[in-house]
Amino acid sequence: MFLEPQETMPQTSIVFSSILGPSCSGQGQPGMGERGSGAGSSGDLVFQEGRLISGSLEALMEHLVPTVDYYPDRTYIFTFLLSSRVFIPPHDLLARVGQICLERRQQLETGSEKAKLKSFSAKIVQLLKEWTEAFPYDFQDEKAMAELKVITHRVTQCDEENGTVKKAIAQMTQSLLLSLAARNQLQELREKLRSPAMDKGSVLKAKPPATQKDILGMCCDPLVLAQQLTHIELERVSSIHPEDLMQIVSHMDSRDKHRCRGDLTKTYSLEAYDNWFNCLSMLVATEVCRVVKKKHRTRMLEFFIDVARECFNIGNFNSMMAIISGMNLSPVARLKKTWSKVKTAKFDVLEHHMDPSSNFCNYRTALQGATQRSQMANSSREKIVIPVFNLFVKDIYFLHKIHTNHLPSGHVNFKKFWEISRQIHEFMTWTQVECPFEKDKKIQNYLLTAPIYSEEALFIASFESEGPENHMEKDSWKTLRL
């Protein structure tokens, strides 16, 4: 048995430009209270069975801002702050929130009710605290920071010297600045460690020396390698934030000349994580193709099959898919003599799980099982769920594409954004799991810095291991040798 070669080298980054295929997402939105709006404008909000399903943007903004007697549900705060950026930039939303706060504060001041004014101020600070904690990057914009200062100055006017409101604002501001500093520092360190792909000349000149280590020389235990891959996955996926994922929606709207255009620089974390998938796939192909002896190539393939299986057992579906993709690349898949010696029963099971038919139905069933295991987990090992990232992105993209932002009434289709928020919130829950496995710096360093062959270099190494078999391959081989 052997795998049929693919016509081209797959790159998952296509999901950020032109994503094809139907979405498969669950139904059900987080519930909310029956209250029409924090501002009493219930006529502009529509509920269905106690759930907010639509409303004008203005009414939704007013529903976000507390009153003396009302504080918005935390699920609503997260969902609206996340989805609002599709319609209005965060600094403009903050400015409108500030205006609503001022109007409500003035109403309380006219009544000379100091106790209620303090209660209102405390609730505004709590809202800002939740905003800065959930979406600190919104405040990297100087306009947003300026608006934040204006609002906090207003709410402290009724607070005595060193009062509780002022202390809460000071703590919030300090935490926000620390979060922004940490994120900026992380972004500076996020430059790729990997060496440039080896060009075809370096492969043609000489085979790797027998003393040069390969992945088996670094780690011969599939479970250990799967655990180290999981370490890398969790470390990298933790740098993705909810607003980064919402850029998928914002970018699509920007192509439709929508008011709120996505900032391309904010998709860096998405593209960096997506690039890790491609690098791992290419590393797998490189490790196989660089091996000179067929017996050792067979062992290498069987090793990666076992690693992929261990990744599946852990719940690391992204690394599993990357490994399978690497073994399905044409330079590896065409090695028929090598594959004929491989015990492929395990690989067949893995491919069954990742069968793309019915919109990856088998994978989605496995992901659902891992999710249920995570929810009932007693140990951190059972909590790990790392979905195939490009499929997750496709689901968000198509959930947005097949449902309109606005209803015929002109209302925001909030039911749609409940579901997008639910899926993103679930993803963020997975990213916050602490990796329970012991870190091996040597293995991780190899995975991140080992040379990767370019596409041409992979084909050259592949043809040198098993010569071209048909006219097309012979023509390709001649072209590569030029």
Side-chain angles (χ1 to χ4, degrees):
M1 174 186 172
F2 61 89
L3 303 175
E4 290 298 326
Q6 297 178 358
E7 293 183 2
T8 58
M9 309 284 275
Q11 296 292 314
T12 65
S13 56
I14 191 172
V15 300
F16 298 106
S17 55
S18 177
I19 309 179
L20 304 177
S23 68
C24 178
S25 59
Q27 297 298 318
Q29 293 75 33
M32 286 193 57
E34 296 286 347
R35 186 178 178 88
S37 146
S41 55
S42 57
D44 287 330
L45 294 177
V46 177
F47 291 81
Q48 187 178 68
E49 296 179 356
R51 294 174 181 172
L52 177 60
I53 61 170
S54 73
S56 67
L57 182 59
E58 178 63 24
L60 291 169
M61 287 190 288
E62 291 184 355
H63 194 55
L64 176 70
V65 182
T67 67
V68 173
D69 305 315
Y70 162 77
Y71 190 81
D73 182 89
R74 293 192 69 184
T75 309
Y76 175 75
I77 294 174
F78 178 83
T79 301
F80 181 69
L81 290 178
L82 179 65
S83 58
S84 63
R85 64 200 66 235
V86 174
F87 308 99
I88 181 173
H91 65 264
D92 284 347
L93 173 62
L94 192 59
R96 181 63 189 123
V97 167
Q99 291 172 356
I100 298 171
C101 287
L102 179 59
E103 292 166 4
R104 296 183 182 176
R105 176 185 169 82
Q106 289 173 341
Q107 291 174 0
L108 291 171
E109 286 176 338
T110 56
S112 301
E113 299 182 78
K114 193 171 182 180
K116 288 186 177 181
L117 195 57
K118 281 188 176 182
S119 173
F120 173 71
S121 297
K123 288 180 179 179
I124 294 301
V125 174
Q126 178 61 28
L127 174 66
L128 295 173
K129 181 174 180 289
E130 292 193 41
W131 191 340
T132 56
E133 288 176 349
F135 305 99
Y137 198 77
D138 287 353
F139 298 87
Q140 190 160 344
D141 187 324
E142 291 181 3
K143 294 179 182 178
M145 284 299 289
E147 293 293 345
L148 180 64
K149 289 178 181 177
V150 169
I151 298 174
T152 54
H153 175 70
R154 286 173 181 164
V155 299
T156 55
Q157 288 178 353
C158 70
D159 201 26
E160 63 271 11
E161 189 68 26
N162 298 319
T164 55
V165 172
K166 287 181 179 177
K167 287 180 180 178
I169 289 174
Q171 292 173 354
M172 175 192 73
T173 304
Q174 183 179 15
S175 297
L176 172 60
L177 293 175
L178 288 173
S179 295
L180 289 174
R183 186 178 293 198
N184 289 336
Q185 193 174 29
L186 180 62
Q187 196 156 326
E188 290 173 3
L189 295 173
R190 232 184 256 161
E191 293 298 323
K192 304 298 181 294
L193 296 173
R194 185 172 297 287
S195 306
M198 296 178 67
D199 61 26
K200 62 180 180 180
S202 62
V203 179
L204 281 172
K205 288 175 185 175
K207 287 284 187 179
T211 55
Q212 184 175 332
K213 281 188 177 181
D214 57 17
I215 189 69
L216 284 171
M218 291 298 302
C219 176
C220 59
D221 187 335
L223 176 58
V224 172
L225 190 64
Q227 291 174 344
Q228 297 311 306
L229 287 171
T230 303
H231 252 296
I232 295 172
E233 291 278 357
L234 288 173
E235 183 178 315
R236 299 211 165 195
V237 79
S238 67
S239 67
I240 296 174
H241 300 273
E243 62 268 31
D244 298 327
L245 295 167
M246 207 63 188
Q247 288 294 315
I248 301 164
V249 173
S250 298
H251 285 172
M252 182 177 178
D253 283 340
S254 71
R255 290 196 298 274
D256 296 331
K257 299 182 180 179
H258 202 281
R259 167 183 187 179
C260 183
R261 301 187 174 227
D263 181 354
L264 290 174
T265 61
K266 292 182 181 178
T267 61
Y268 180 88
S269 58
L270 302 182
E271 292 165 358
Y273 186 52
D274 182 62
N275 186 60
W276 153 248
F277 180 101
N278 295 327
C279 286
L280 179 55
S281 294
M282 294 295 280
L283 176 62
V284 169
T286 298
E287 291 290 329
V288 174
C289 290
R290 69 190 281 244
V291 178
V292 178
K293 295 183 179 180
K294 182 172 65 177
K295 180 179 179 181
H296 293 163
R297 278 198 306 278
T298 301
R299 184 187 174 201
M300 186 69 74
L301 281 170
E302 291 180 338
F303 174 71
F304 277 120
I305 291 170
D306 287 338
V307 173
R309 186 181 63 168
E310 294 295 350
C311 286
F312 177 84
N313 292 336
I314 289 172
N316 181 359
F317 299 106
N318 201 56
S319 287
M320 172 193 173
M321 178 67 98
I323 293 170
I324 293 173
S325 297
M327 290 189 287
N328 278 332
L329 292 176
S330 297
V332 179
R334 65 166 297 277
L335 298 173
K336 299 179 182 179
K337 294 178 182 177
T338 304
W339 278 103
S340 68
K341 301 296 182 181
V342 174
K343 298 174 183 177
T344 55
K346 296 176 185 176
F347 190 64
D348 293 342
V349 173
L350 294 174
E351 287 216 301
H352 171 75
H353 286 304
M354 294 300 171
D355 181 357
S357 62
S358 301
N359 192 24
F360 289 89
C361 185
N362 294 339
Y363 157 70
R364 294 181 189 281
T365 300
L367 178 63
Q368 185 178 14
T371 301
Q372 291 173 348
R373 180 186 67 182
S374 177
Q375 292 169 345
M376 301 173 64
N378 295 316
S379 68
S380 53
R381 292 190 177 211
E382 296 175 328
K383 289 182 180 179
I384 296 172
V385 182
I386 306 174
V388 178
F389 186 60
N390 67 322
L391 293 181
F392 173 78
V393 169
K394 283 174 65 177
D395 287 348
I396 296 296
Y397 181 97
F398 273 92
L399 183 58
H400 174 64
K401 186 175 181 180
I402 64 179
H403 297 289
T404 59
N405 288 343
H406 292 92
L407 300 175
S409 64
H411 277 193
V412 172
N413 182 8
F414 208 68
K415 187 175 182 180
K416 160 187 172 176
F417 291 104
W418 276 129
E419 179 58 23
I420 290 177
S421 172
R422 185 194 66 78
Q423 292 196 25
I424 289 178
H425 186 271
E426 183 176 48
F427 180 85
M428 297 311 301
T429 301
W430 296 333
T431 68
Q432 292 163 13
V433 173
E434 185 176 349
C435 189
F437 308 122
E438 185 177 351
K439 189 172 184 178
D440 190 311
K441 291 184 178 180
K442 288 185 178 180
I443 296 175
Q444 288 197 22
N445 184 62
Y446 184 90
L447 289 169
L448 294 169
T449 62
I452 294 177
Y453 287 172
S454 65
E455 183 175 353
E456 286 187 343
L458 283 173
F459 272 110
I460 290 169
S462 178
F463 285 135
E464 287 189 337
S465 295
E466 295 185 21
E469 293 190 346
N470 53 51
H471 291 299
M472 186 177 295
E473 287 191 345
K474 288 176 182 178
D475 289 342
S476 296
W477 180 223
K478 286 179 182 178
T479 301
L480 289 168
R481 290 181 65 90
L482 293 179

